[in-house]
Amino acid sequence: MKKIAIVLTMALGMFLAASCSQEHLEIAQKGVESYEEYFSRVGDEEATSLLASMYNQFRVIYQPAYTIVPNEITGDITVGGSDPSDGVENHQISSLLHDAGNSQISQMWGRFYVLIYRANLIVDKVTPDTPVKKRIVAEAKAARAWAMTECMMLWGTPPLVTHVLENASEYEQPNCDPAEAWAWIEQNYNEAAADLPSKSGLNGQAAIGGRFTKEAALGFLGKAQIYQGKYAEAQTTLKKVIDSKLYQLEPDINKLFHAAADFSPEYLFELNIDYNGSDRRTAMYLITTNTWQNPGWRTDQVYVPLEFTQAASWGYMNPSKGFALEMIAHDGMDSPRRKYTILTYDELLDEDNFTYNKDATTGESAKGVKAAGLHDNAGYLRYKFTVKQEDLCTTVANYNRSFYTLANIPLLRYADILLLYAEACAKTGTSTGEGLNALNLVRSRAGLSPAPSLEMDNETYGVKAERRFELFFECANRFIDLVRWGDFEKVYNHMRSQYGFGAVHYRLMGLKDPTIANGGPSNWNVTEEAVINPGTFSSKFNLFPFPDTEIQNNPKLVQNPGF
């Protein structure tokens, strides 16, 4: 097999160090095929390899910082870790103390642009002269549109890079014109949808795998239109997905985010984690090391039930006290959605809920928090996205094997489509009956009574509340929603003033009186661990800052206001 020289740079060469001179870059390597030679003969097999590299970058993105940074600033998630000094940069974000030097933000930024680069490479260099290559180019168009959409919502005016930058004079890219960028995003999604296949039926995704389909491209297009406030257009686009009859909600909400739901009729686009052969260990490691290990329950602070696979977890991303209390108030304690999203401390201790190892000395179940207590926790634990034994890949031998889950990760679910459609109907005031039906499908699966009318702001049954509790901890949905609705400042200040978010660290120390069973929050020993000197909200926090390194290396890039 010929060697292939494809340099996957950090975001199109914009991130090349200044010390890299052209003469050093042009040294020929023996036995390595040149860039031009390789692309002059790309066939179906080579194009498929490029596509695999592109999809692999989705898995790199779906790690901290993308899974953490946009969530920890909303008030629904506390950073966690072992103590306030663990993950300082993440604590800065939740307390509004971050700046353009924050490495978590720069990691997130760089990974998006690597995906754009790899997608551009396919679109620019692969001639769509066979059905296979035509489909691959369409997938690349959808991928770069997705990445640019996220960058637009997180940074506002990120550079629009529409092709592979091969000339040094192109490396310095200016802030985008938002109208031009959104038009480019919509064009790419539309062109992708025109050339992508639909799945064969409700259960047809398994035959396609974790790849874009026509309806996935349309779903993301509708989402991009919603983000722009183009509700009538979004309504039309999302209706196409609904009318395809190819998707439905998974009846058992407890299956979601576990291997039992892989290629479920609810998933429109998912990262396929089921690998074969030598590729399995490397590819799975990208997901397991940080994505699952980072937010898993800390085994040095709390006893973990045997149904979970976590070992040596780092304890990030606990549900905040405010989120937990407000979800319980909205969904009720008996809601299946509440039960699969968060657990109370009493539920962790309940003999009927979990099985634990027996203590070697006492013979009793070792359960609850340990002596040091559980940091950044007021008595509520995140159950959603936990790794269970049923999901475990048993064929990989590694110290991190307890995180090698085979469960696919959905980046777009039908529940999101239904809620977006309900929002579009509410905003346009048309087809409100259909919009209400879409909303109530989600509420019914959550175990809630039907909403009597289609409203955005009603705290009991409005679209905003449903999006918050249905999409908890999924991608950047909550942050983006709050900003686009103009609600971020109001909500953040509410979470701080009411629950101390971003200013108070709680630590769950166990029960005040261990002899009282099911004592509820009044019996939980929760201490205020520390009060920090937090920042105050300003409009600048509606966007993240461009990383300092980009500002320094690219004089055409203007920093977001306030940073």
Side-chain angles (χ1 to χ4, degrees), residues 374-395:
L374 187 57
H375 171 62
D376 252 1
N377 193 289
Y380 304 93
L381 299 96
R382 181 177 46 78
Y383 190 62
K384 187 176 181 179
F385 280 112
T386 51
V387 180
K388 294 187 176 181
Q389 295 285 350
E390 65 197 50
D391 305 320
L392 186 63
C393 173
T394 59
T395 61

Side-chain angles (χ1 to χ4, degrees), residues 84-402:
S85 66
D86 187 6
V88 170
E89 289 189 319
N90 294 98
H91 285 288
Q92 289 173 347
I93 292 168
S94 67
S95 300
L96 304 181
L97 295 171
H98 58 283
D99 57 26
N102 189 289
S103 66
Q104 294 295 301
I105 295 172
S106 64
Q107 277 185 24
M108 186 167 58
W109 164 274
R111 289 166 178 170
F112 280 121
Y113 274 97
V114 172
L115 176 56
I116 292 173
Y117 170 73
R118 294 186 183 185
N120 282 344
L121 196 65
I122 293 172
V123 176
D124 288 2
K125 302 298 182 180
V126 174
T127 303
D129 53 4
T130 70
V132 170
K133 289 192 284 182
K134 184 177 181 180
R135 175 180 173 183
I136 287 171
V137 169
E139 291 174 85
K141 288 179 178 180
R144 67 182 186 177
W146 177 84
M148 190 62 189
T149 299
E150 296 294 300
C151 288
M152 290 290 290
M153 298 309 299
L154 297 175
W155 285 280
T157 58
L160 175 61
V161 184
T162 62
H163 60 281
V164 175
L165 306 183
E166 297 178 339
N167 189 313
S169 63
E170 294 184 288
Y171 293 165
E172 295 176 359
Q173 291 287 315
N175 303 69
C176 73
D177 170 25
E180 178 185 356
W182 283 118
W184 181 84
I185 287 168
E186 290 194 39
Q187 177 185 348
N188 275 264
Y189 277 137
N190 278 312
E191 291 179 359
D195 290 335
L196 286 171
S198 299
K199 62 179 184 176
S200 59
L202 283 172
N203 297 308
Q205 191 67 43
I208 295 174
R211 299 174 66 174
F212 279 103
T213 61
K214 176 188 293 291
E215 283 69 32
L218 289 174
F220 281 123
L221 170 61
K223 200 164 188 174
Q225 290 167 332
I226 287 277
Y227 289 169
Q228 299 171 72
K230 298 170 68 172
Y231 293 107
E233 292 91 332
Q235 193 173 12
T236 300
T237 301
L238 296 167
K239 189 69 160 53
K240 293 178 182 177
V241 178
I242 294 171
D243 287 347
S244 73
K245 307 296 184 183
L246 294 174
Y247 301 90
Q248 66 182 20
L249 296 179
E250 166 57 52
D252 184 358
I253 198 168
N254 292 292
K255 288 184 179 180
L256 296 178
F257 310 106
H258 296 292
D262 286 0
F263 306 122
S264 160
E266 181 158 351
Y267 293 175
L268 274 80
F269 181 65
E270 61 202 283
L271 306 184
N272 184 13
I273 313 302
D274 190 7
Y275 297 93
N276 296 311
S278 60
D279 185 50
R280 176 190 289 264
R281 179 167 172 170
T282 301
M284 292 180 72
Y285 187 82
L286 293 172
I287 293 292
T288 59
T289 300
N290 284 327
T291 302
W292 302 128
Q293 188 173 23
N294 195 297
W297 297 359
R298 285 191 73 97
T299 53
D300 63 340
Q301 293 184 354
V302 64
Y303 293 101
V304 178
L306 293 179
E307 74 173 77
F308 301 120
T309 65
Q310 279 114 322
S313 299
W314 300 336
Y316 287 91
M317 301 296 98
N318 299 307
S320 70
K321 180 179 181 179
F323 175 83
L325 291 175
E326 292 182 6
M327 182 172 199
I328 289 170
H330 182 273
D331 276 29
M333 287 297 291
D334 294 330
S335 161
R337 180 170 67 185
R338 194 285 302 174
K339 291 180 178 180
Y340 109 106
T341 302
I342 57 173
L343 295 175
T344 69
Y345 187 49
D346 279 345
E347 288 170 324
L348 177 68
L349 300 177
D350 194 316
E351 292 281 4
D352 293 332
N353 285 329
F354 300 111
T355 302
Y356 294 84
N357 281 315
K358 298 293 184 181
D359 184 272
T361 302
T362 66
E364 298 296 324
S365 293
K367 58 185 177 180
V369 296
K370 299 183 179 180
L374 187 57
H375 171 62
D376 252 1
N377 193 289
Y380 304 93
L381 299 96
R382 181 177 46 78
Y383 190 62
K384 187 176 181 179
F385 280 112
T386 51
V387 180
K388 294 187 176 181
Q389 295 285 350
E390 65 197 50
D391 305 320
L392 186 63
C393 173
T394 59
T395 61
V396 179
N398 183 275
Y399 83 99
N400 262 340
R401 207 188 82 184
S402 60

Side-chain angles (χ1 to χ4, degrees), residues 1-5 31-34 37-38 40-41 46:
M1 180 179 292
K2 294 185 179 180
K3 295 180 181 179
I4 300 172
V32 177
E33 187 177 20
S34 74
E37 289 173 335
Y38 173 73
S40 69
R41 61 168 188 79
E46 291 83 4

